[in-house]
Amino acid sequence: MKTYLLRSIFILALLSCCKWANAQTFKLNGKIIDQHTKQPLDYVSIALIQLPDSSTTATQVSNEQGNYEFKVVKAGKYLIKALMVGYDKASTAVFEVKADLSLPVLALVNRTQHLKEVNIISKMPVIDQKADRTIVNVEQMNTTGDNALEVLSQAPGITLDKDDNIILKGKKGINVMIDGKMSYMSGAELTTYLKSLPGSVLSKIELISNPPASFDAAGTGGFINIKLKRNKMQGMNGNANIGGGYGKYEKVYGGTNLNYNTGKVSTYVRLNAGRYNSFNRLTLERTIGNEQYNQSNYWHPITHSLNYSTGADYFINNENTLGFMFKGFNSPMETDVTSTSPNYNAQGIKMGSVNMHNPQDNHSGNHAFNINYRYRIDSTGKELGFDADYVFYKTNKDEDFTNTYYDAQDQLKNGPIYLRNKGYSNITIYALKLDYTYPFNKNLKLETGWKSSWIQAKSDVQFDSLKTAGWINDPRRTNLFNYNENINAAYLSLNQSTKQLDIKVGARIEQTLGDGHSSGTNTIIERKYWKIFPNASILYKATANHQFTLSYRKSINRPSYSSLNPFAFYTDPYTALQGNPMLQASYANNFEFNYTLKNFRLLTVSYATTNGAVAEVIYQNNVSKESISRPENLNKETNLYMATGSPFDIKKWWNINTEIAVSYNKTSSPIQGTGFNASQWSWSASTTNTFTLPKDYSLNFSAYYYSPSVNGLFRNLENYAINVGAKKTFWHKNATLALRVNDIFATSMFRATLRYNNINTYWQNEWENRKVNLNLTYKFGNMKLKTARNRRTSTGEEERRVGQ
C-alpha cells in the first residue's frame, strides 16, 4: 500500500511538471498581405526574433492564405520580420508573449509601386567560399558547348586523369551528387553521363572536401554536388536552349527545363538530348627489353543521348512535406575502333604489326526513383526526414573484332582472327534512409540517422571466335559474374554555434557485407567488416572580415563492383583489363584549413594520407608481349595541396578569377615484389577574365597550366589550354546568345610515363578538345519567388561505384 501511494504521488508530480512545462509555451499567429492589393501573400519568409539579443528563434513561410503560426513560443519579448523577393522588408512592433497571441496583419510594399526603374549592377561571384564548401556559380561562366564534365574540370582544385576520372585537390575517390542526391555512378558510367549532360543546364557546383557525419563515409576525396537549373519562382516558368558545335566532327544539342509551382505543389520536368560525334586517340609507346612496341588506338563514337528527370514536392501543411523524383538517361553509342600496333627491334627495324578493327554497338542507361518525406515537428527546428530509393543501371555491348597480323614486309601472316562479344551488365540498388534533427537550444543541435542499402551486380560476357565449324564459344574470354552487397550505417553529430565560433563533431559507423562469384575463374568473394569514421570541423570568425576553418574526416573508398571481377577483358591483342577479387577498401585521413579575408580565399591547405589506395598495376609478359592491367592496393599515398585565389573586380567592367596552387604528391608501395617510390612538387595556375561591354555584350578569356606531377604510379607531363568566348543578351535579358572556342592551340591532352620493374611506357590520350560552339538560351515565365527543397537521396555512395 505504501509503495502504491508513493508511486501515485510520483506520477501526479510528474504530470504536474509536464503540465507546468507545457504551460510555459504559447502559440503565435499572424497574416501577411500586399499593401496595395490587400491580397494575402504566400511563401513569405517569416522569422521570429527574440529580444534583446536579436536571435532568430524560428522561421517558416506563409501559406496560401498568407497565414503563419509558431506553435511553441516561450514567454518573452519578440518581433516578426518578413522578407519576400520584389517587396521591401517589413517587421512588426516589439510585442510580449504571455499567452496565445494573434498579431495584427502585416502589409508588405511591392517595390514596383514606388520604384520607376531598378538597375541591377551587382552580380553573383563565380567562386563563393563558404565555411564548409566552395561554390562555383556556373551561371556566371561562359560554358557554351561544354558538357558537364568539361565545366566540372574548370572548377578550382579539379583535374581529370587519363580515363576522365575526377581528382579533387590531388585526391581520387570522389562522390558526385546531382541536386543533393547521390548519382550512384563512377568511372565510365559517370563519365558517360556527365558528357551527355550539357553544361548550359548547370546552376552551381559545390565542392565539399570534408562533409559531416550525415554524409556517407565513402569518398576519400570528398563530395561534389552538381545543382541543375530549377527556377524557384511561383507559377509556370522555365528555360530552353539549343546549340551546336564543330571540332573535327559535328555535334548538336538542346533541352528544356519546365517548372510549375503553386502554394501546395512544386513540380519540375527536365529534358535534354543531343547527338555528339567525337573522337579519342590513345598512343602507347612500350619498351620491352630491347624492342619497341607502339600502339595507336582511335575511337570514333557517335552518341545519341537523352537525359530526363521529373519531381514534385507536396506541401501538405507547414509541418509535413512529401516529395518524389524520377530520373534517368539513355545513351546508345555506335563506335568504330581501329588499332595499329607496329613493333621494332633494337636497331629500329620494323619486325611486324597487328591491326585491329572493332565496330561496337553499345547502349548504356539508368533510371532512378526516390520518394521522401519531411516532418517539421515544431518551430524550434526538430525535424524528421525519410528517403527510399530504387536505382537500376544497364549496359549492353555488341562488339566485333578482326585482328590481322603482318610480317616485317607488311605481308599478311595467315588469315585474320575474328571474335565477337555480346555481353551485358546490370546493377540494382535499393536504399532506405532516416534522419532526425533535435536542437537542444538555439546554439546546440543534435543530428542522428540510419541508412541501409542493398546492391545486386551482375555481368555476363559471351565471347565467340570464328572457326571452320562456325562461331565457337571462347571459354578463355567468357564469364558470368555476380556480386551482392549490404551496407548498414548509423551516425551521430553535434553542432555548437555562437556568433564567432561554430564547432561540429560527429561519427559514423558502417557495416559491410558482401559476397560474389566468377564462373570464368571459379572465384568466390566475401566481405564482412565494421568501421567507425569520425569527423570534426571548427569555424572561427575573428572579425567581420577574417574567417578561419579547420576540418578533419576519416573516409573509405570501397572497390567498384566491376573491379572485383577476376575475369580479363581484352581490348586489343596486346592489352587486357582484369579485376582483382582480393582488392580491399582504402582509408584516408583528410585535414583542411581555410582562411578567407573579406570573402576572398587567401589560403587553402589540404593534407591527406591514404592507406591501401587503389591503382592500376600493369603486368607485362615479355615473351607474349601482352600487358594486363589490374587494380591493386598500394601501401600509402600522401597529398598536400595549397592554393590561393578568388574572383575580384579590377575595374567595374573587368572581373578576374585566378587560382594559383602548389601540390606535393607521394606514392610508396611494393609493386610486384619490388619497392616503388615516386614523389614530386608541382604547381598549377588558372585564370578566367570577364569583360562587360556596353549594350549587353561580354567577352571571356580563360587559360590554365598544370606542371609535371605524380599521380599514383603515373608521372604526368605538363598540360595547358587557352579558351575565348563572347555573349550577348537581348529580348529584355531573357535571351542569351553565346559563342565559345575551346583549346585554341589544341594543347590539352593527357601525357604520362610509367616506369617500374619491366614496365617502360609513354602514354598519351587526346580528345576533341579544340572546338567552336554556339548556343542560344531563352528563359520565360513568372518571377515570383517560391521556396524549393534541396534533398539528398539514400543511394549516394552505391551509385558512385557502379561504373569504376
Side-chain angles (χ1 to χ4, degrees):
M1 182 69 179
K2 183 177 179 181
T3 303
Y4 174 79
L5 181 61
L6 289 174
R7 185 182 302 168
S8 300
I9 293 173
F10 174 76
I11 292 173
L12 288 172
L14 181 61
L15 290 174
S16 300
C17 290
C18 293
K19 184 176 181 181
W20 177 84
N22 290 332
Q24 304 312 299
T25 60
F26 308 99
K27 293 182 179 180
L28 178 67
N29 61 69
K31 186 173 185 176
I32 308 293
I33 65 171
D34 184 299
Q35 187 182 61
H36 178 70
T37 65
K38 307 303 180 184
Q39 295 298 311
L41 293 175
D42 58 344
Y43 285 96
V44 178
S45 297
I46 312 294
L48 179 62
I49 309 299
Q50 187 173 21
L51 301 177
D53 61 356
S54 298
S55 61
T56 301
T57 303
T59 60
Q60 61 173 253
V61 294
S62 59
N63 60 20
E64 287 181 335
Q65 292 74 41
N67 296 324
Y68 63 89
E69 182 180 24
F70 296 96
K71 293 185 177 181
V72 182
V73 181
K74 296 180 181 180
K77 291 185 178 182
Y78 299 87
L79 62 83
I80 291 288
K81 287 187 176 180
L83 177 65
M84 187 175 187
V85 170
Y87 288 82
D88 288 336
K89 297 177 183 179
S91 59
T92 65
V94 176
F95 56 87
E96 187 171 1
V97 175
K98 297 180 179 178
D100 292 349
L101 182 63
S102 294
L103 296 175
V105 173
L106 183 61
L108 302 188
V109 178
N110 193 322
R111 291 175 186 156
T112 60
Q113 301 299 323
H114 61 87
L115 291 179
K116 295 182 179 180
E117 184 179 0
V118 178
N119 293 318
I120 301 176
I121 59 174
S122 64
K123 65 178 182 179
M124 189 180 299
V126 176
I127 308 295
D128 191 9
Q129 183 66 50
K130 299 296 184 182
D132 62 342
R133 67 195 63 192
T134 301
I135 300 175
V136 182
N137 295 299
V138 180
E139 293 181 81
Q140 303 301 319
M141 302 166 59
N142 185 348
T143 60
T144 303
D146 289 348
N147 58 48
L149 185 65
E150 291 169 330
V151 174
L152 198 58
S153 67
Q154 300 173 43
I158 288 185
T159 57
L160 304 177
D161 70 5
K162 63 180 178 62
D163 299 317
D164 280 340
N165 294 313
I166 300 168
I167 300 173
L168 176 60
K169 299 176 182 176
K171 294 173 287 186
K172 301 178 183 178
I174 307 297
N175 273 327
V176 175
M177 300 186 295
I178 308 294
D179 286 333
K181 301 179 181 300
M182 290 299 300
S183 67
Y184 296 111
M185 291 181 284
S186 62
E189 288 285 351
L190 179 61
T191 298
T192 300
Y193 171 74
L194 293 177
K195 286 184 176 180
S196 70
L197 192 65
S200 58
V201 305
L202 272 62
S203 174
K204 300 179 188 299
I205 297 172
E206 296 181 339
L207 310 176
I208 313 170
S209 298
N210 289 332
S214 57
F215 285 66
D216 288 345
T220 51
F223 282 71
I224 296 176
N225 182 26
I226 300 175
K227 290 188 174 182
L228 304 182
K229 292 179 180 177
R230 179 179 178 183
N231 200 320
K232 300 178 182 179
M233 307 300 169
Q234 188 170 344
M236 174 67 78
N237 49 67
N239 60 72
N241 73 89
I242 187 170
Y246 189 84
K248 185 174 182 178
Y249 304 104
E250 78 289 344
K251 49 216 38 96
V252 63
Y253 47 86
T256 185
N257 179 11
L258 299 175
N259 308 273
Y260 183 66
N261 300 326
T262 68
K264 281 288 185 181
V265 180
S266 170
T267 64
Y268 70 92
V269 175
R270 297 192 194 102
L271 290 172
N272 291 279
R275 181 184 185 274
Y276 302 90
N277 191 353
S278 62
F279 79 91
N280 175 212
R281 181 185 291 109
L282 172 64
T283 302
L284 299 177
E285 297 176 2
R286 301 188 300 164
T287 301
I288 304 177
N290 58 359
E291 298 177 355
Q292 185 72 29
Y293 281 75
N294 297 337
Q295 183 176 329
S296 178
N297 288 3
Y298 187 85
W299 287 269
H300 181 193
I302 300 177
T303 306
H304 298 82
S305 67
L306 174 65
N307 284 273
Y308 53 89
S309 65
T310 184
D313 290 328
Y314 175 48
F315 301 91
I316 302 171
N317 50 41
N318 289 337
E319 291 80 29
N320 298 274
T321 304
L322 183 66
F324 84 92
M325 181 205 68
F326 178 76
K327 67 175 182 178
F329 83 95
N330 289 298
S331 183
M333 179 188 301
E334 295 179 0
T335 306
D336 191 60
V337 183
T338 56
S339 173
T340 302
S341 304
N343 55 88
Y344 305 87
N345 62 18
Q347 289 73 39
I349 300 174
K350 187 175 182 179
M351 300 167 57
S353 63
V354 181
N355 290 349
M356 181 194 72
H357 183 218
N358 173 216
Q360 304 176 5
D361 187 4
N362 301 330
H363 184 281
S364 61
N366 87 310
H367 55 264
F369 182 77
N370 165 266
I371 186 169
N372 55 85
Y373 169 72
R374 187 187 70 176
Y375 173 47
R376 293 180 61 183
I377 299 172
D378 58 33
S379 60
T380 65
K382 296 187 184 73
E383 187 172 297
L384 186 68
F386 172 78
D387 278 88
D389 288 88
Y390 165 77
V391 183
F392 178 75
Y393 287 89
K394 185 171 185 177
T395 300
N396 292 318
K397 288 182 174 291
D398 189 349
E399 303 175 294
D400 293 307
F401 297 83
T402 302
N403 297 327
T404 309
Y405 294 79
Y406 298 90
D407 60 19
Q409 287 73 42
D410 291 330
Q411 297 299 311
L412 184 65
K413 295 171 58 177
N414 302 319
I417 296 176
Y418 298 98
L419 300 169
R420 70 181 184 186
N421 169 38
K422 292 184 181 294
Y424 71 87
S425 175
N426 293 341
I427 297 176
T428 306
I429 303 171
Y430 304 90
L432 298 173
K433 182 165 71 81
L434 188 68
D435 300 288
Y436 176 65
T437 302
Y438 181 86
F440 294 99
N441 52 51
K442 63 182 180 181
N443 295 325
L444 182 61
K445 181 173 66 175
L446 168 73
E447 292 178 322
T448 187
W450 151 83
K451 175 190 170 182
S452 288
S453 63
W454 299 265
I455 301 95
Q456 300 169 355
K458 180 179 181 179
S459 67
D460 189 6
V461 179
Q462 295 287 339
F463 258 96
D464 300 325
S465 56
L466 185 60
K467 307 293 184 182
T468 55
W471 289 102
I472 305 297
N473 180 258
D474 186 347
R476 191 169 70 99
R477 293 183 171 95
T478 296
N479 179 65
L480 177 64
F481 178 70
N482 287 286
Y483 182 74
N484 299 298
E485 187 177 78
N486 168 224
I487 299 176
N488 302 296
Y491 73 89
L492 184 70
S493 179
L494 279 172
N495 182 208
Q496 174 74 48
S497 61
T498 63
K499 288 184 177 181
Q500 283 190 297
L501 196 63
D502 188 282
I503 301 174
K504 179 174 285 190
V505 294
R508 187 179 184 95
I509 184 170
E510 294 191 351
Q511 178 196 34
T512 303
L513 304 170
D515 62 84
H517 177 258
S518 171
S519 65
T521 60
N522 199 28
T523 303
I524 296 176
I525 303 169
E526 288 190 4
R527 295 283 188 272
K528 293 181 181 180
Y529 55 89
W530 289 85
K531 293 293 178 181
I532 298 177
F533 304 93
N535 65 78
S537 66
I538 300 174
L539 165 66
Y540 175 58
K541 296 181 180 178
T543 66
N545 295 328
H546 297 269
Q547 178 175 290
F548 304 87
T549 61
L550 181 64
S551 61
Y552 164 76
R553 175 180 182 246
K554 183 178 180 179
S555 57
I556 183 174
N557 196 30
R558 296 183 180 88
S560 66
Y561 312 119
S562 60
S563 67
L564 297 173
N565 186 355
F567 187 70
F569 301 86
Y570 283 82
T571 58
D572 62 59
Y574 291 125
T575 309
L577 304 174
Q578 184 180 35
N580 180 4
M582 304 305 293
L583 199 63
Q584 301 297 317
S586 59
Y587 299 90
N589 290 286
N590 303 279
F591 301 85
E592 184 163 309
F593 170 80
N594 285 283
Y595 169 44
T596 57
L597 175 63
K598 294 183 178 180
N599 206 36
F600 183 92
R601 186 186 56 154
L602 204 60
L603 179 64
T604 291
V605 179
S606 175
Y607 177 76
T609 58
T610 304
N611 295 316
V614 176
E616 291 291 330
V617 178
I618 297 177
Y619 287 79
Q620 181 174 276
N621 188 320
N622 288 357
V623 177
S624 67
K625 316 305 181 187
E626 287 185 341
S627 293
I628 297 180
S629 176
R630 55 178 282 167
E632 293 191 358
N633 293 104
L634 303 182
N635 187 27
K636 186 176 182 180
E637 280 190 355
T638 303
N639 307 100
L640 174 65
Y641 174 87
M642 297 177 288
T644 183
S646 276
F648 65 93
D649 291 327
I650 295 179
K651 298 287 186 180
K652 288 184 178 180
W653 49 269
W654 182 5
N655 178 270
I656 184 170
N657 175 29
T658 298
E659 180 188 76
I660 299 175
V662 176
S663 302
Y664 175 76
N665 298 290
K666 181 179 180 180
T667 302
S668 301
S669 182
I671 302 295
Q672 301 170 5
T674 303
F676 176 87
N677 290 281
S679 62
Q680 184 165 346
W681 285 93
S682 60
W683 68 278
S684 63
S686 63
T687 181
T688 300
N689 296 261
T690 302
F691 306 95
T692 303
L693 305 179
K695 298 184 178 181
D696 297 323
Y697 284 93
S698 66
L699 299 177
N700 179 271
F701 170 85
S702 63
Y704 72 83
Y705 174 83
Y706 297 109
S707 74
S709 61
V710 166
N711 181 13
L713 305 181
F714 283 86
R715 287 188 176 272
N716 299 344
L717 305 181
E718 65 180 1
N719 183 14
Y720 52 93
I722 295 176
N723 313 308
V724 296
K727 286 202 301 186
K728 162 68 176 174
T729 58
F730 52 99
W731 290 346
H732 305 290
K733 297 188 177 182
N734 289 322
T736 301
L737 184 66
L739 176 72
R740 180 178 171 89
V741 182
N742 286 349
D743 192 13
I744 297 174
F745 302 106
T747 54
S748 179
M749 64 184 73
F750 177 88
R751 298 179 302 140
T753 59
L754 276 171
R755 291 191 177 95
Y756 55 88
N757 297 347
N758 66 336
I759 304 299
N760 185 358
T761 302
Y762 169 77
W763 190 300
Q764 180 172 301
N765 212 354
E766 304 170 65
W767 300 268
E768 192 184 20
N769 288 321
R770 181 165 62 179
K771 54 192 175 184
V772 58
N773 293 278
L774 185 67
N775 185 79
L776 175 65
T777 303
Y778 179 70
K779 58 184 180 181
F780 52 87
N782 191 14
M783 301 301 289
K784 186 178 179 184
L785 184 65
K786 179 188 182 304
T787 303
R789 291 195 298 151
N790 181 31
R791 301 189 301 270
R792 191 169 77 249
T793 63
S794 58
T795 49
E797 192 264 338
E798 293 78 14
E799 289 198 54
R800 183 188 65 83
R801 298 163 58 202
V802 166
Q804 287 183 340

